[in-house]
Amino acid sequence: MKQLAKTLHKKILHLIQQVIGITIYRNQNPSETNVAEGEEIVEDQTAQLEKQITFQTSSKKDEQKVLLNNQYPTKPRQFKKASLFPDQTSLAALSLVLHGVAEVLSQKMNLSWKTEVSSTFSYEKEVESGKGKIFYYVTDNPETSQPETLAEEAALVVIDQFDPRACAIHLIYCALVASLDKPWSGNFIIDDRQLLEYTGLVKRRDLCKHEKLSILYHLLRQPAQVLACIAWPKQGKVGAFTVADLKIWDVSIIRDFETDKAGNSKLVGLKVIGQAGVWTKYFLNKSKYHYHAGIITKKTVQKLFSIGKQNAGAARILVWLTFQIQPEFQDCVMGKTLMEIAYSADKVSTAEQDRQLRRQMADDFETDLKVVKEAGWQAELETGPAWLTSSKSTKRPIGYWSEILNSKWRFHLPVEVQERLTMDSNQLSANNIQPLSGNVIREARKAKGWSRAFFATAMGKSVSWVDAVETGTRKVSQKDLPKLLNTLELHLNRY
């Protein structure tokens, strides 16, 4: 049909040229000059006719498309079948225990490791001003039912191999386990397509599939190589407890291989079957006060995965922000604190006496802050010199190091997280929910055996806030309502 259309198109043009040529020849003086001018006119008018025909053809095609679109409206955008999560944000378990795992993976030897009496190498994290402790260990055989904690020499080898990109995998595990009804008995499954898409590794054109999957395999194991023993203190009427099961993540990785023509074995697929340890009975049980969940963004995970070892400082800041910054967080962060998170306290202290190291760390700090912003986090300079946030490269003034350390920063959640929180809040409002009375809140608190001070701590508020809410002199804001309901286990449809 296309060939027939082209043939007809040529014949019509040829016929038009003949008609135009005869008309011009009759109207013009039959001289060589006029004949040449007539030929130019013929060519010009022929070109115009070709454009008109082409335009009319394309217009008819456009009209047909419009009619088809009206008859068959386009479907709403759907996520890829390989998508790991249905949105750009995901609810995730972000408790203190899991924060420690992320610290081990990103901070490595910047943490205060020590050798215990039993010769095992451990990192100790305090809970509630020293009232409780979490001890972290590493292992080289996470696949076994009872992995062995390593002594210093062997542990150092494992810790040195930890990759900041494993923090992205750890966050994925945190999100998947939060989606389970009973995390202590359920498991989650991920395949390689989901991981390649969600981490952004699928965009790496310089790597073959075997290389991509090999990278994933090693990173998927690393969060499971971090073990923990938890000694949690008594708080309020909730008694103390100890979690002796060391496994945080119990991960099995099934790999598929194929042999190529040269006889080489190539990794062509993998699947992860993961399960959380016993710790979830305490930290993902919503009836307990220490239940803690937050929101992660796909952009943060992909940025963590892409920067890798090149911007380890930025990776550490991103990990810290993900676990620390909550919607109600209003405190400023000192520049010195950020520098210590990114590069270790020892290195910051050493830089005081090393001019070259100060310059290098100042350069890294500016670069790493830009990387953090690219991941969606909003950094606002509360107190400090303007050159710290200037996009122009200017020479640093004398005393710049002191200005960096004494600067104060305020971080805001990524826009995607704020939009989700607003959407959840609006959804609550759309249900014609009446505000909770102070009596209901007070009775729910007492039913749990909590003091006002304890409840205030759980909410991240002051005791005066609790008093005002319970006496009815202050209403719970839409921003605080979801957390209050979750903390007290209240169901709005009952009030």
Side-chain angles (χ1 to χ4, degrees), residues 110-154:
N110 290 340
L111 301 174
S112 302
W113 294 88
K114 64 180 181 180
T115 302
E116 296 181 350
V117 178
S118 60
S119 298
T120 55
F121 204 50
S122 68
Y123 159 56
E124 180 182 316
K125 191 176 183 68
E126 288 190 351
V127 179
E128 292 294 318
S129 302
K131 295 179 181 178
K133 294 180 180 179
I134 305 175
F135 298 89
Y136 292 94
Y137 310 91
V138 295
T139 184
D140 56 2
N141 58 342
E143 293 83 6
T144 61
S145 58
Q146 294 183 336
E148 179 185 0
T149 57
L150 301 178
E152 181 174 353
E153 186 176 351

Side-chain angles (χ1 to χ4, degrees), residues 79-93:
F79 289 93
K80 298 178 183 178
K81 291 182 179 180
S83 293
L84 193 57
F85 302 108
D87 206 345
Q88 298 298 313
T89 59
S90 307
L91 185 71

